[in-house]
Amino acid sequence: MPEFDQIDLFNYAAYGNEDDPQWDDIRNYIRSNANASKEYEEIKKNLTNVQPKRKQKDFGRPRQEVKSSDGDPNSNKPAGQDKKWWSVFLGE
């Protein structure tokens, strides 16, 4: 049986699927290893504490539209900031 590390457990907790055969090896590892099982449960608990906050922060807010000097309501740039992204690197 292959060994899995904390990153593998995190990936399974975040993206794993009980019905997907792709995750069979790690599911078997978690079931057969008590330390891995405890660590997996801890990771899963921490993920559920973090994920709702992120969703609440990103979604559900009305989008604020700020009109710029050129009249484009979707442009959030103040007047005079029409520089291209690469101008930062070129020093323009």
Side-chain angles (χ1 to χ4, degrees), residues 48-71:
T48 57
N49 290 339
V50 172
Q51 286 176 343
K53 292 177 187 174
R54 186 180 332 137
K55 287 180 183 177
Q56 186 179 30
K57 178 182 170 189
D58 293 340
F59 302 111
R61 286 193 209 164
R63 188 170 169 208
Q64 294 179 347
E65 293 184 2
V66 177
K67 282 197 171 192
S68 64
S69 61
D70 62 355

PDB file of all heavy atoms in Angstrom, residues 48-71:
ATOM      1  N   THR A  48     -13.983  22.893   6.657  1.00  0.00           N
ATOM      2  CA  THR A  48     -15.375  23.331   6.790  1.00  0.00           C
ATOM      3  C   THR A  48     -15.460  24.650   7.541  1.00  0.00           C
ATOM      4  O   THR A  48     -16.400  25.410   7.334  1.00  0.00           O
ATOM      5  CB  THR A  48     -16.242  22.278   7.497  1.00  0.00           C
ATOM      6  OG1 THR A  48     -15.684  21.985   8.764  1.00  0.00           O
ATOM      7  CG2 THR A  48     -16.344  21.012   6.670  1.00  0.00           C
ATOM      8  N   ASN A  49     -14.484  24.948   8.387  1.00  0.00           N
ATOM      9  CA  ASN A  49     -14.466  26.230   9.087  1.00  0.00           C
ATOM     10  C   ASN A  49     -14.043  27.358   8.165  1.00  0.00           C
ATOM     11  O   ASN A  49     -14.467  28.493   8.337  1.00  0.00           O
ATOM     12  CB  ASN A  49     -13.517  26.186  10.284  1.00  0.00           C
ATOM     13  CG  ASN A  49     -14.033  25.315  11.394  1.00  0.00           C
ATOM     14  OD1 ASN A  49     -15.226  25.045  11.474  1.00  0.00           O
ATOM     15  ND2 ASN A  49     -13.135  24.855  12.241  1.00  0.00           N
ATOM     16  N   VAL A  50     -13.229  27.070   7.162  1.00  0.00           N
ATOM     17  CA  VAL A  50     -12.687  28.101   6.277  1.00  0.00           C
ATOM     18  C   VAL A  50     -13.588  28.342   5.073  1.00  0.00           C
ATOM     19  O   VAL A  50     -13.830  29.471   4.694  1.00  0.00           O
ATOM     20  CB  VAL A  50     -11.275  27.707   5.790  1.00  0.00           C
ATOM     21  CG1 VAL A  50     -10.779  28.652   4.717  1.00  0.00           C
ATOM     22  CG2 VAL A  50     -10.309  27.690   6.959  1.00  0.00           C
ATOM     23  N   GLN A  51     -14.119  27.307   4.465  1.00  0.00           N
ATOM     24  CA  GLN A  51     -14.856  27.438   3.223  1.00  0.00           C
ATOM     25  C   GLN A  51     -16.090  28.330   3.304  1.00  0.00           C
ATOM     26  O   GLN A  51     -16.270  29.170   2.438  1.00  0.00           O
ATOM     27  CB  GLN A  51     -15.219  26.065   2.684  1.00  0.00           C
ATOM     28  CG  GLN A  51     -14.037  25.354   2.096  1.00  0.00           C
ATOM     29  CD  GLN A  51     -14.365  23.950   1.650  1.00  0.00           C
ATOM     30  OE1 GLN A  51     -15.376  23.394   2.055  1.00  0.00           O
ATOM     31  NE2 GLN A  51     -13.519  23.376   0.834  1.00  0.00           N
ATOM     32  N   PRO A  52     -16.950  28.226   4.320  1.00  0.00           N
ATOM     33  CA  PRO A  52     -18.116  29.115   4.331  1.00  0.00           C
ATOM     34  C   PRO A  52     -17.739  30.588   4.415  1.00  0.00           C
ATOM     35  O   PRO A  52     -18.392  31.418   3.820  1.00  0.00           O
ATOM     36  CB  PRO A  52     -18.891  28.674   5.570  1.00  0.00           C
ATOM     37  CG  PRO A  52     -18.476  27.275   5.805  1.00  0.00           C
ATOM     38  CD  PRO A  52     -17.041  27.214   5.348  1.00  0.00           C
ATOM     39  N   LYS A  53     -16.670  30.909   5.119  1.00  0.00           N
ATOM     40  CA  LYS A  53     -16.252  32.310   5.212  1.00  0.00           C
ATOM     41  C   LYS A  53     -15.835  32.838   3.849  1.00  0.00           C
ATOM     42  O   LYS A  53     -16.146  33.947   3.482  1.00  0.00           O
ATOM     43  CB  LYS A  53     -15.099  32.442   6.199  1.00  0.00           C
ATOM     44  CG  LYS A  53     -15.509  32.176   7.623  1.00  0.00           C
ATOM     45  CD  LYS A  53     -14.322  32.258   8.543  1.00  0.00           C
ATOM     46  CE  LYS A  53     -14.712  31.831   9.944  1.00  0.00           C
ATOM     47  NZ  LYS A  53     -13.569  31.764  10.840  1.00  0.00           N
ATOM     48  N   ARG A  54     -15.121  32.021   3.085  1.00  0.00           N
ATOM     49  CA  ARG A  54     -14.676  32.451   1.774  1.00  0.00           C
ATOM     50  C   ARG A  54     -15.866  32.658   0.855  1.00  0.00           C
ATOM     51  O   ARG A  54     -15.964  33.642   0.151  1.00  0.00           O
ATOM     52  CB  ARG A  54     -13.742  31.401   1.178  1.00  0.00           C
ATOM     53  CG  ARG A  54     -13.139  31.861  -0.127  1.00  0.00           C
ATOM     54  CD  ARG A  54     -12.200  30.865  -0.776  1.00  0.00           C
ATOM     55  NE  ARG A  54     -11.549  29.990   0.146  1.00  0.00           N
ATOM     56  CZ  ARG A  54     -11.400  28.693  -0.059  1.00  0.00           C
ATOM     57  NH1 ARG A  54     -11.859  28.130  -1.142  1.00  0.00           N
ATOM     58  NH2 ARG A  54     -10.784  27.924   0.822  1.00  0.00           N
ATOM     59  N   LYS A  55     -16.827  31.755   0.886  1.00  0.00           N
ATOM     60  CA  LYS A  55     -18.008  31.890   0.041  1.00  0.00           C
ATOM     61  C   LYS A  55     -18.814  33.112   0.439  1.00  0.00           C
ATOM     62  O   LYS A  55     -19.281  33.854  -0.398  1.00  0.00           O
ATOM     63  CB  LYS A  55     -18.875  30.645   0.148  1.00  0.00           C
ATOM     64  CG  LYS A  55     -18.307  29.455  -0.556  1.00  0.00           C
ATOM     65  CD  LYS A  55     -19.236  28.271  -0.406  1.00  0.00           C
ATOM     66  CE  LYS A  55     -18.636  27.038  -1.051  1.00  0.00           C
ATOM     67  NZ  LYS A  55     -19.483  25.868  -0.849  1.00  0.00           N
ATOM     68  N   GLN A  56     -18.944  33.339   1.724  1.00  0.00           N
ATOM     69  CA  GLN A  56     -19.712  34.480   2.208  1.00  0.00           C
ATOM     70  C   GLN A  56     -19.033  35.780   1.802  1.00  0.00           C
ATOM     71  O   GLN A  56     -19.687  36.743   1.446  1.00  0.00           O
ATOM     72  CB  GLN A  56     -19.821  34.399   3.729  1.00  0.00           C
ATOM     73  CG  GLN A  56     -20.705  35.444   4.341  1.00  0.00           C
ATOM     74  CD  GLN A  56     -20.787  35.283   5.848  1.00  0.00           C
ATOM     75  OE1 GLN A  56     -19.848  34.808   6.486  1.00  0.00           O
ATOM     76  NE2 GLN A  56     -21.891  35.657   6.410  1.00  0.00           N
ATOM     77  N   LYS A  57     -17.714  35.791   1.800  1.00  0.00           N
ATOM     78  CA  LYS A  57     -16.970  36.987   1.438  1.00  0.00           C
ATOM     79  C   LYS A  57     -17.082  37.290  -0.053  1.00  0.00           C
ATOM     80  O   LYS A  57     -17.269  38.427  -0.451  1.00  0.00           O
ATOM     81  CB  LYS A  57     -15.496  36.798   1.814  1.00  0.00           C
ATOM     82  CG  LYS A  57     -14.620  37.955   1.437  1.00  0.00           C
ATOM     83  CD  LYS A  57     -13.196  37.647   1.817  1.00  0.00           C
ATOM     84  CE  LYS A  57     -12.257  38.675   1.237  1.00  0.00           C
ATOM     85  NZ  LYS A  57     -10.874  38.307   1.412  1.00  0.00           N
ATOM     86  N   ASP A  58     -16.984  36.265  -0.905  1.00  0.00           N
ATOM     87  CA  ASP A  58     -16.930  36.477  -2.339  1.00  0.00           C
ATOM     88  C   ASP A  58     -18.297  36.617  -2.998  1.00  0.00           C
ATOM     89  O   ASP A  58     -18.437  37.300  -3.992  1.00  0.00           O
ATOM     90  CB  ASP A  58     -16.187  35.324  -3.002  1.00  0.00           C
ATOM     91  CG  ASP A  58     -14.719  35.283  -2.624  1.00  0.00           C
ATOM     92  OD1 ASP A  58     -14.180  36.300  -2.172  1.00  0.00           O
ATOM     93  OD2 ASP A  58     -14.121  34.217  -2.803  1.00  0.00           O
ATOM     94  N   PHE A  59     -19.285  35.943  -2.437  1.00  0.00           N
ATOM     95  CA  PHE A  59     -20.583  35.913  -3.091  1.00  0.00           C
ATOM     96  C   PHE A  59     -21.634  36.648  -2.264  1.00  0.00           C
ATOM     97  O   PHE A  59     -21.507  36.809  -1.072  1.00  0.00           O
ATOM     98  CB  PHE A  59     -21.028  34.467  -3.303  1.00  0.00           C
ATOM     99  CG  PHE A  59     -20.058  33.672  -4.116  1.00  0.00           C
ATOM    100  CD1 PHE A  59     -19.315  32.666  -3.547  1.00  0.00           C
ATOM    101  CD2 PHE A  59     -19.888  33.960  -5.449  1.00  0.00           C
ATOM    102  CE1 PHE A  59     -18.419  31.935  -4.293  1.00  0.00           C
ATOM    103  CE2 PHE A  59     -18.995  33.240  -6.208  1.00  0.00           C
ATOM    104  CZ  PHE A  59     -18.258  32.229  -5.630  1.00  0.00           C
ATOM    105  N   GLY A  60     -22.675  37.059  -2.935  1.00  0.00           N
ATOM    106  CA  GLY A  60     -23.803  37.647  -2.240  1.00  0.00           C
ATOM    107  C   GLY A  60     -23.736  39.154  -2.100  1.00  0.00           C
ATOM    108  O   GLY A  60     -24.662  39.773  -1.606  1.00  0.00           O
ATOM    109  N   ARG A  61     -22.656  39.741  -2.521  1.00  0.00           N
ATOM    110  CA  ARG A  61     -22.575  41.205  -2.458  1.00  0.00           C
ATOM    111  C   ARG A  61     -22.943  41.798  -3.807  1.00  0.00           C
ATOM    112  O   ARG A  61     -22.522  41.295  -4.837  1.00  0.00           O
ATOM    113  CB  ARG A  61     -21.137  41.644  -2.156  1.00  0.00           C
ATOM    114  CG  ARG A  61     -20.720  41.433  -0.765  1.00  0.00           C
ATOM    115  CD  ARG A  61     -19.440  42.195  -0.548  1.00  0.00           C
ATOM    116  NE  ARG A  61     -18.640  41.539   0.461  1.00  0.00           N
ATOM    117  CZ  ARG A  61     -17.377  41.773   0.661  1.00  0.00           C
ATOM    118  NH1 ARG A  61     -16.741  42.626  -0.095  1.00  0.00           N
ATOM    119  NH2 ARG A  61     -16.726  41.163   1.597  1.00  0.00           N
ATOM    120  N   PRO A  62     -23.681  42.866  -3.797  1.00  0.00           N
ATOM    121  CA  PRO A  62     -23.939  43.536  -5.071  1.00  0.00           C
ATOM    122  C   PRO A  62     -22.655  44.180  -5.575  1.00  0.00           C
ATOM    123  O   PRO A  62     -21.832  44.658  -4.790  1.00  0.00           O
ATOM    124  CB  PRO A  62     -24.993  44.592  -4.738  1.00  0.00           C
ATOM    125  CG  PRO A  62     -24.896  44.782  -3.274  1.00  0.00           C
ATOM    126  CD  PRO A  62     -24.376  43.510  -2.698  1.00  0.00           C
ATOM    127  N   ARG A  63     -22.446  44.148  -6.851  1.00  0.00           N
ATOM    128  CA  ARG A  63     -21.238  44.718  -7.438  1.00  0.00           C
ATOM    129  C   ARG A  63     -21.381  46.231  -7.501  1.00  0.00           C
ATOM    130  O   ARG A  63     -22.376  46.760  -7.998  1.00  0.00           O
ATOM    131  CB  ARG A  63     -21.051  44.157  -8.829  1.00  0.00           C
ATOM    132  CG  ARG A  63     -19.755  44.545  -9.429  1.00  0.00           C
ATOM    133  CD  ARG A  63     -19.513  43.777 -10.701  1.00  0.00           C
ATOM    134  NE  ARG A  63     -18.382  44.387 -11.358  1.00  0.00           N
ATOM    135  CZ  ARG A  63     -18.177  44.377 -12.641  1.00  0.00           C
ATOM    136  NH1 ARG A  63     -19.013  43.755 -13.427  1.00  0.00           N
ATOM    137  NH2 ARG A  63     -17.133  44.970 -13.158  1.00  0.00           N
ATOM    138  N   GLN A  64     -20.381  46.920  -7.017  1.00  0.00           N
ATOM    139  CA  GLN A  64     -20.401  48.380  -7.051  1.00  0.00           C
ATOM    140  C   GLN A  64     -19.822  48.850  -8.374  1.00  0.00           C
ATOM    141  O   GLN A  64     -18.747  48.431  -8.775  1.00  0.00           O
ATOM    142  CB  GLN A  64     -19.576  48.962  -5.906  1.00  0.00           C
ATOM    143  CG  GLN A  64     -20.138  48.676  -4.552  1.00  0.00           C
ATOM    144  CD  GLN A  64     -19.265  49.246  -3.455  1.00  0.00           C
ATOM    145  OE1 GLN A  64     -18.132  49.638  -3.681  1.00  0.00           O
ATOM    146  NE2 GLN A  64     -19.802  49.278  -2.261  1.00  0.00           N
ATOM    147  N   GLU A  65     -20.544  49.705  -9.029  1.00  0.00           N
ATOM    148  CA  GLU A  65     -20.072  50.239 -10.300  1.00  0.00           C
ATOM    149  C   GLU A  65     -19.630  51.676 -10.086  1.00  0.00           C
ATOM    150  O   GLU A  65     -20.372  52.509  -9.588  1.00  0.00           O
ATOM    151  CB  GLU A  65     -21.160  50.174 -11.350  1.00  0.00           C
ATOM    152  CG  GLU A  65     -21.514  48.756 -11.744  1.00  0.00           C
ATOM    153  CD  GLU A  65     -22.526  48.710 -12.872  1.00  0.00           C
ATOM    154  OE1 GLU A  65     -22.916  49.791 -13.368  1.00  0.00           O
ATOM    155  OE2 GLU A  65     -22.925  47.613 -13.256  1.00  0.00           O
ATOM    156  N   VAL A  66     -18.400  51.942 -10.490  1.00  0.00           N
ATOM    157  CA  VAL A  66     -17.834  53.276 -10.360  1.00  0.00           C
ATOM    158  C   VAL A  66     -17.589  53.797 -11.762  1.00  0.00           C
ATOM    159  O   VAL A  66     -16.917  53.154 -12.558  1.00  0.00           O
ATOM    160  CB  VAL A  66     -16.499  53.232  -9.565  1.00  0.00           C
ATOM    161  CG1 VAL A  66     -15.883  54.606  -9.501  1.00  0.00           C
ATOM    162  CG2 VAL A  66     -16.735  52.637  -8.202  1.00  0.00           C
ATOM    163  N   LYS A  67     -18.132  54.954 -12.054  1.00  0.00           N
ATOM    164  CA  LYS A  67     -17.918  55.524 -13.375  1.00  0.00           C
ATOM    165  C   LYS A  67     -16.571  56.219 -13.418  1.00  0.00           C
ATOM    166  O   LYS A  67     -16.219  56.981 -12.526  1.00  0.00           O
ATOM    167  CB  LYS A  67     -19.007  56.526 -13.724  1.00  0.00           C
ATOM    168  CG  LYS A  67     -20.289  55.898 -14.147  1.00  0.00           C
ATOM    169  CD  LYS A  67     -21.151  56.894 -14.840  1.00  0.00           C
ATOM    170  CE  LYS A  67     -22.327  56.181 -15.452  1.00  0.00           C
ATOM    171  NZ  LYS A  67     -23.048  57.026 -16.358  1.00  0.00           N
ATOM    172  N   SER A  68     -15.831  55.951 -14.479  1.00  0.00           N
ATOM    173  CA  SER A  68     -14.553  56.629 -14.660  1.00  0.00           C
ATOM    174  C   SER A  68     -14.775  57.841 -15.558  1.00  0.00           C
ATOM    175  O   SER A  68     -15.868  58.101 -16.034  1.00  0.00           O
ATOM    176  CB  SER A  68     -13.531  55.674 -15.267  1.00  0.00           C
ATOM    177  OG  SER A  68     -13.956  55.286 -16.565  1.00  0.00           O
ATOM    178  N   SER A  69     -13.708  58.551 -15.822  1.00  0.00           N
ATOM    179  CA  SER A  69     -13.833  59.780 -16.594  1.00  0.00           C
ATOM    180  C   SER A  69     -14.238  59.519 -18.042  1.00  0.00           C
ATOM    181  O   SER A  69     -14.807  60.379 -18.690  1.00  0.00           O
ATOM    182  CB  SER A  69     -12.515  60.550 -16.571  1.00  0.00           C
ATOM    183  OG  SER A  69     -11.488  59.755 -17.168  1.00  0.00           O
ATOM    184  N   ASP A  70     -13.954  58.328 -18.561  1.00  0.00           N
ATOM    185  CA  ASP A  70     -14.324  58.037 -19.941  1.00  0.00           C
ATOM    186  C   ASP A  70     -15.755  57.519 -20.066  1.00  0.00           C
ATOM    187  O   ASP A  70     -16.206  57.214 -21.160  1.00  0.00           O
ATOM    188  CB  ASP A  70     -13.331  57.060 -20.582  1.00  0.00           C
ATOM    189  CG  ASP A  70     -13.289  55.715 -19.876  1.00  0.00           C
ATOM    190  OD1 ASP A  70     -13.948  55.566 -18.829  1.00  0.00           O
ATOM    191  OD2 ASP A  70     -12.578  54.820 -20.380  1.00  0.00           O
ATOM    192  N   GLY A  71     -16.472  57.401 -18.944  1.00  0.00           N
ATOM    193  CA  GLY A  71     -17.869  57.021 -18.979  1.00  0.00           C
ATOM    194  C   GLY A  71     -18.119  55.525 -18.965  1.00  0.00           C
ATOM    195  O   GLY A  71     -19.248  55.098 -19.024  1.00  0.00           O
TER     196      GLY A  71
END
